[in-house]
Amino acid sequence: MSEPYASLAHRLQREIEGEVRFDAGSRALYSTDASNYRQTPIGVVLPRTREDVIRTVAACRDHDAPVLARGGGTSLAGQGCNVAVVIDMTKHYDEVLELDPAGRTARVQPGLILDELRSRAGESGLTFGPDPATHSHCTLGGMIGNNACGIHSLTAGKTVDNVVSMEVLTYDGEVLEVGQTSASDLERILARGGRRGEIYRDLAALRDRHGDAVRDGYPDIPRRVSGYNLDELLPEKGFHAARALVGTEGTCVTYLEATVRLVENPGGRSLLVLGYEDVFAAADQVPAILEYDPIALEGMDVSLIQNFRREIPGRYGHDILPEGSAWLLVEFGGTSRDAARERARHAREAIGAPTGCAPGLYEDPEEEALVWRIREEGLGATARMPGRPDMHPGWEDSAVHPEDLADYLRDLEGLFDEYGLETSVYGHFGEGCVHCRIPFDLRTADGLEAYRAFVEEAAELCCGRYGGSLSGEHGDGLSRGPLLSRMYSEELIDAMRAFKGIWDPEDRMNPGRIVEAADPTEHLRLGADFAPATVESRYSYPEDDGDFSRAVLRCVGVGKCRREGGGTMCPSWMATREEAHSTRGRARMLFEMLNGEEIGGWRDDAVLDSLDLCLGCKGCKSDCPVSVDMATYKSEYLSHHYARRPRPRAHYAMGLIRWGARLAAKMPGLANRLARAPVLSRAIKWTAGVAPERELPAFAEETFVTWFRSRDGEPEGAEERPEVVLFPDTFNDHFHPDVARAAVEALEWAGCRVTIPPRPLCCGRPLFHYGMLDLAERQQRRVLETLRPKIRAGVPIVGLEPSCVATFRDELRGLLPDDEDAERLRENVWLLSEFFQERLDGIDLPEPGGRALLHVHCHQKSVLSKDADRELLERLGYACDVPDAGCCGMAGAFGFERGDKYEVSIACGERVLLPAVREAGDEVVLVTSGYSCREQIAQTTGRRAHHLAEILGDAIEGTPPPSELRLR
């Protein structure tokens, strides 16, 4: 950092209440958005108050530093990165300041997440109309900056149509309330003079000088987002300065507050899906469908489905969609669901038969939600396609009139063919907006030249031939700014340049974007000179060509990991709301480490700090649209970071717990007394790196293995029964042997002959967590060596601890990719509930019934069958409540560690799970199969949660076993 900017950092630290970060790690973290581009910022500021924002801009002005106020960092055109001071308002400056249901408006701070506003407004039957796919994590400020739209802008309009007024800050320090301005108001403003009067005088002159050119030269289409909204200055638009500033991508002013319009939220919705032979036939039908007034009309082709991760076998893809190779998703609204469904039925009957499409009308709201999820995750689902090069934005957002859509798509497909590009097409077909990621070669000089040539031809096709817009909602930034001359006349480009100059005469607000953008091949995150460090990785990364650097590039910046609720990913983000502790942030830090420009090498503390609070929950593996597996990347990183170096105490104490538990099992009583003695307990915790607030778990007086080997024989006729190997993991063997005993009883009741391995084994999960991969591999090979006869004979292996079973399903393949027995084990290892649900055939279970609160372990949700526990409980007659709790927070050893990890652990648990446990009545049975989950519940609420094996064991007690067992 240069001296002037060091001085700026010191001043900001003195003058604002918020957080100031000019360190190399923070700068690297904010060096890119979701686009192809990368520019390292000067520093990062996280303001707490309006005054913080004003003082930050003032300090930047005095130091001649550019400013970039950004939202959720999901911009696809490069407008969210720059050599500037980045103002990130998402952590603190994110309130709903006022909500007026009668006036149908809300006053908000720019860092507010859209779904938070929608939730608050929903209490009054209202919503904010524009709803991009990033609605769970995009901000109102970012939406205003990009003029965001979304699925329902067909009826609600773009963001520009929903802004009433704004309070804005200019780079030279003027705070202005802007909105619609009548002629009389304009006269008063001009008469008052000052900087405000100067701005309005120049805006009025600009309007008068170029008004006719604006009227003639702006495309008359629903999704014109490219360029500045000079049309909002026209008299017929009410000289609306606030709306003219929407879509300016931070190049003119900084938003301080915004008053936005709210609209009525339909009381009911119904989804009609129409199948077609190809995407062109689907686009042909769009104008006719619009006549039935849907509230959303989306399109997608078969590639989107083929490449979508099949998280729920048998329900994604063609099994949930009507027959076809392309689809239109047509949503209808009404005062009730029945009213909406009647409108959908009418449309289906009117258009179904004549067009030859195969209509589908969904009865189940969950299936509707699943279809919408497929569509919303299109951006991530098409970023990595098996067998194809990586897909990139760059021409992912063009828009034409809906009546021209089919012809445009045919011509665009011809252009793809000409350049040898194969892609997937989807988007807001009802408004003529087309989304696609394209396999541009952004790493060679020839590839960059081809990329430039393609976008220029595509711009000419879209704008020149069809009168369309370069952008239908993602904005211009660095991608499309250089192409504006293909869309607008030179006079209009000059007018836009003048518009920016009125607000920002010194060109310090996000400079080099829109009208003054550089060539689209400059400032690329990759580029012809991209050469990441070569890594000899420990994992094989089979889905990333065996390349750790390619695995790190899997993150495309969608930012779904930054949502504040729902799903498992990302618990540390939900607890801290820090970019560095999101999945995206960690992926970026690893990319920057390999890139080596700002930070470099496996020993860099900034990377370690970012990864340190990763719980290893693996939620990102299932929740992330591109299946980033940060738990594995962290394990890889730690193995390199601590190679030939001493580790923190907790790594040894908890990573090697298998050996410690075996030692304690020789004298469990003494071990427990020492752990409970006040002085010794504190010393043990300090030595082991355990948080002083935690209780050390008690060792069982008798391990499960000891009990099993000493019990009186096998059930009668056991030799005739199908064999099942029960894998005794460390925790259920040494701490909760009752769970394993109950599992034995349940399996034998079901007609199985239960055996256990002949010697002590460990899946190695704690070792993986801490990156002790040499030891982990040794443990895995020991498992394969010991169980090889059973594995090759096809004997099912049943585990009780989800993280243990998940290790065999996931990490085992990554560490031993060429071992056929590892693959065989992976395909025939089962969680107890999975085994009962998927392998045991024709068994009727007793139904004791009751109410259960079920928490599903993170690894079960991400790697195993997340519904198996619930389905088995329901077979037992239980009414299950499964709160959307994400991670319990304990996450194996994570929640036992002292300092930040303990605090994050508690914060994760208190978000949903622990309050739900406290609110559950005594009659509600608490169920979770994860040892760490049961510990978190016990240590924070005083209540005991049960493993499903215990519930199953209690249910079958005294019940006659089934007469026959058949293994599927």
Side-chain angles (χ1 to χ4, degrees), residues 686-768:
W686 183 89
T687 302
V690 173
E693 298 88 347
R694 290 294 186 189
E695 293 181 12
L696 296 172
F699 292 95
E701 290 299 320
E702 180 183 46
T703 69
F704 162 73
V705 170
T706 301
W707 169 83
F708 187 88
R709 288 177 177 160
S710 63
R711 68 182 188 146
D712 296 331
E714 292 183 314
E716 184 180 349
E719 290 300 323
E720 304 299 322
R721 298 181 173 193
E723 182 183 4
V724 172
V725 175
L726 183 65
F727 192 90
D729 62 273
T730 297
F731 300 98
N732 287 308
D733 184 18
H734 291 85
F735 298 99
H736 289 179
D738 289 348
V739 169
R741 292 177 194 170
V744 171
E745 293 167 5
L747 289 167
E748 290 182 342
W749 174 87
C752 298
R753 178 167 62 91
V754 179
T755 62
I756 64 173
R759 60 176 177 171
L761 298 176
C762 178
C763 71
R765 167 59 63 184
L767 300 170
F768 281 105

Side-chain angles (χ1 to χ4, degrees), residues 71 124 153 177 196 201 272 291 376 470 496 498 555 565 579 583 598 618 623 632 675 731 749 753 803 948:
S124 304
S153 63
E177 181 73 26
R196 180 185 179 87
R201 181 197 68 216
L272 173 66
E291 295 179 7
E376 287 187 351
L470 302 168
M496 292 178 192
C555 175
E579 176 73 22
T583 304
E598 295 298 323
K618 299 186 82 71
D623 287 3
T632 297
F731 300 98
W749 174 87
R753 178 167 62 91
S803 62
L948 189 59

